[in-house]
Amino acid sequence: MKSTALALLALTAAVACGKAADKPAGDSSQPATASGGGTDLTGAGASFPYPLYSKWTSAYMAKTGQRINYQPSGSGAGVKQLSEGTVDFGGSDSPMTDEELAAAKHGPVLHIPTTIGAVVVIYNVPGITQPLRMRPDVVADIFLRKITKWNDPRIAAANVGVALPARDILVAHRSDGSGTTYVFTDYLSKVSPAWAAGPGRGKAVSWPAGTLGGRANEGVAAQVQQTEGAVGYVELAYATQTRLPVALIANAAGNFIAPTVESITAAAAGVADTLSATTDYRISIVNAPGVTAYPISSFTWVLIYQRQADAAKGRQLVDFLKWAVTEGQQYSGALHYAPLPQKIVEGVQTKLATVKIGGT
């Protein structure tokens, strides 16, 4: 437990620190004036992008004086709080459904993609010193509890020469409504007919008996870190900060791929060219084609109302998002996220121009 606490403390420190951004010259996408002294902005939702959002809020405050409080309460909570109007913006790794959009209390909601990240399979198997390789069907059947031992022949087949122990596999998953769970189960539903017919895709699913629950990404990471034989799924930054090993996953081309900025970028490579001015950005890129694409990659979104009744807050929020998708992208790589493709940045700025501020 002591090592877990220290690891999570290190994660908090790592994502909160960093130098402020330098002010760019001649960038018309940036706020025209600093918004210091204005009303604080509040947001809540996905923990998947929290390391990056934490860096953004500290850098943006240093630049403008604008205070932004973001709570990584999970995508389900982010959608709920945005829908009820108790926060200024929500964060989600799963796009809102048509039913959720219709239920939003204050009108149309815009999905603003902010970065691209990876969900990774983490594990705690003492004695294994090289990254384990996993095929999609094996990942699905581990989480379906059909594969229950680390030395199962199907795991061994992709890891020739690795001395796998005859140890039980203990599965850890998110216990809260989670966009990370949505991304992971979206992937499993695409690669496994058994998963699609069983637990299926969602922010919360009915997990097979015998699994362990953890709240938020850090909760799952803690479960795996303190439980020998455990396996789970988290956003890449949480695995990196806690030094947990990450599996190489076979992609749609059959290549075993590590999650890196380059392989996450490759997963989104063909998407930008398919978009149009009417795109609502509720896009899945899991199991993307491409020989170097990491298969469990996803956009994450900030959710905002298209009509901002509070004019001051509306301007501050739009200014912040314009900064985030332009200057803010420079912080992505160091925190293991991929920056948005330029065409998507341009499209997002067009979307932000449709936000109605106050009575406008």
Side-chain angles (χ1 to χ4, degrees):
M1 292 295 291
K2 183 177 180 181
S3 63
T4 299
L6 290 173
L8 295 181
L9 180 61
L11 172 62
T12 302
V15 299
C17 69
K19 295 180 180 179
D22 294 329
K23 184 176 179 180
D27 186 346
S28 61
S29 67
Q30 307 306 314
T33 60
S35 48
T39 306
D40 291 2
L41 296 174
T42 60
S47 60
F48 178 100
Y50 179 63
L52 181 59
Y53 288 5
S54 179
K55 176 62 182 177
W56 279 353
T57 56
S58 63
Y60 193 68
M61 181 175 177
K63 176 184 175 68
T64 68
Q66 175 68 54
R67 293 181 296 272
I68 303 170
N69 177 29
Y70 181 81
Q71 295 297 321
S73 52
S75 294
V79 170
K80 184 175 186 292
Q81 290 179 260
L82 186 279
S83 296
E84 294 176 350
T86 58
V87 292
D88 299 312
F89 64 95
S92 183
D93 310 320
S94 58
M96 292 174 69
T97 64
D98 291 344
E99 292 75 17
E100 287 172 331
L101 289 171
K105 290 184 177 180
H106 301 291
V109 174
L110 298 181
H111 285 67
I112 305 300
T114 52
T115 193
I116 311 164
V119 174
V120 300
V121 175
I122 55 174
Y123 54 91
N124 179 352
V125 187
I128 303 297
T129 59
Q130 62 191 76
L132 290 177
R133 298 181 169 209
M134 294 184 183
R135 297 194 181 279
D137 60 309
V138 168
V139 177
D141 283 352
I142 286 173
F143 283 85
L144 282 170
R145 305 295 291 132
K146 292 181 178 181
I147 295 176
T148 59
K149 295 284 188 181
W150 280 108
N151 66 342
D152 186 280
R154 292 169 64 195
I155 298 177
N159 294 278
V160 176
V162 178
L164 297 168
R167 181 189 286 273
D168 289 341
I169 298 175
L170 304 173
V171 173
H173 63 83
R174 287 286 289 271
S175 59
D176 53 327
S178 157
T180 306
T181 295
Y182 178 90
V183 174
F184 190 58
T185 59
D186 183 27
Y187 168 72
L188 294 180
S189 294
K190 287 190 176 181
V191 300
S192 168
W195 187 277
R201 174 192 296 108
K203 291 189 287 289
V205 299
S206 180
W207 293 93
T211 57
L212 308 170
R215 184 168 182 81
N217 273 286
E218 59 266 34
V220 174
Q223 286 277 19
V224 174
Q225 189 176 47
Q226 68 192 22
T227 308
E228 291 188 357
V231 65
Y233 60 93
V234 295
E235 195 278 325
L236 176 58
Y238 292 84
T240 302
Q241 295 296 337
T242 52
R243 300 182 183 276
L244 287 163
V246 171
L248 308 183
I249 308 297
N251 65 11
N255 299 319
F256 289 98
I257 302 296
T260 64
V261 171
E262 292 76 18
S263 63
I264 298 167
T265 299
V271 173
D273 292 337
T274 69
L275 305 181
S276 69
T278 60
T279 297
D280 68 2
Y281 293 103
R282 292 187 292 167
I283 305 163
S284 171
I285 58 171
V286 298
N287 206 38
V291 295
T292 62
Y294 179 72
I296 322 179
S297 300
S298 179
F299 291 106
T300 190
W301 296 268
V302 160
L303 312 172
I304 64 171
Y305 281 106
Q306 190 168 27
R307 179 173 293 281
Q308 296 287 317
D310 185 317
K313 278 192 172 185
R315 292 189 188 95
Q316 291 162 359
L317 180 56
V318 169
D319 280 352
F320 169 64
L321 290 174
K322 287 180 178 179
W323 177 89
V325 301
T326 53
E327 186 179 339
Q329 297 295 300
Q330 68 181 292
Y331 301 109
S332 300
L335 293 170
H336 309 287
Y337 300 89
L340 297 173
Q342 183 58 32
K343 185 170 181 179
I344 291 181
V345 171
E346 293 167 2
V348 166
Q349 292 188 86
T350 299
K351 282 289 183 189
L352 290 171
T354 70
V355 175
K356 297 175 173 59
I357 304 295
T360 63

